[in-house]
Every structure is written in structure tokens, then in C-alpha cells.
Amino acid sequence: MSEEQMNSYRLTSMDEPGDERMAQIMREVAEDARESTRRAAAHVTASIEAASQAAQAKWGDTINRIKNGNY
């Protein structure tokens, strides 16, 4: 199926998509979902890493103050 044919189809059309067209639509949806999931996972990982580093810095400062007698 050509790119032009794929781009011309809209799910709001009154015509049912053929098997080939529906398979292509489903492949593209799956690719979009995988990419969205990858971006979300990367964002969550970065957020966890940033929070972890902030917590480590805070506790490191607290431990150093206690070691130095600065409660």
C-alpha cells in the first residue's frame, strides 16, 4: 500500500478499511505506543535519578553536620 493511500484514509470514513490497510494502521499505532512508552520510561528514570541525587546530597550534608557537631 502506498504512503499516499495510507495517508488518505481516515477512521471517520464510512468505508471499512481493508485487511492490509488495517494491519498498517495497527503497526503504526503500535510503533507510536512503543515510542511513547520509551519516552515516558526515560522521563521517569531521569526523575528518579534526580530525586535520588537530591536525597543523597541532603543526607550527606546532614551526616557531615552531625559529624562536625553542628546539630
Side-chain angles (χ1 to χ4, degrees), residues 11-70:
L11 289 176
T12 57
S13 172
M14 295 305 290
D15 298 326
E16 290 290 324
D19 289 344
E20 182 182 354
R21 185 173 284 174
M22 184 56 85
Q24 180 64 28
I25 291 168
M26 296 305 291
R27 276 192 296 276
E28 289 180 10
V29 167
E31 288 172 15
D32 289 348
R34 280 190 295 273
E35 178 60 23
S36 176
T37 300
R38 186 200 62 75
R39 284 192 311 267
H43 177 73
V44 168
T45 300
S47 295
I48 290 170
E49 182 64 29
S52 175
Q53 288 176 357
Q56 287 176 359
K58 178 182 175 183
W59 282 106
D61 290 344
T62 301
I63 290 170
N64 285 332
R65 282 196 326 264
I66 292 170
K67 282 181 180 179
N68 295 326
N70 301 325

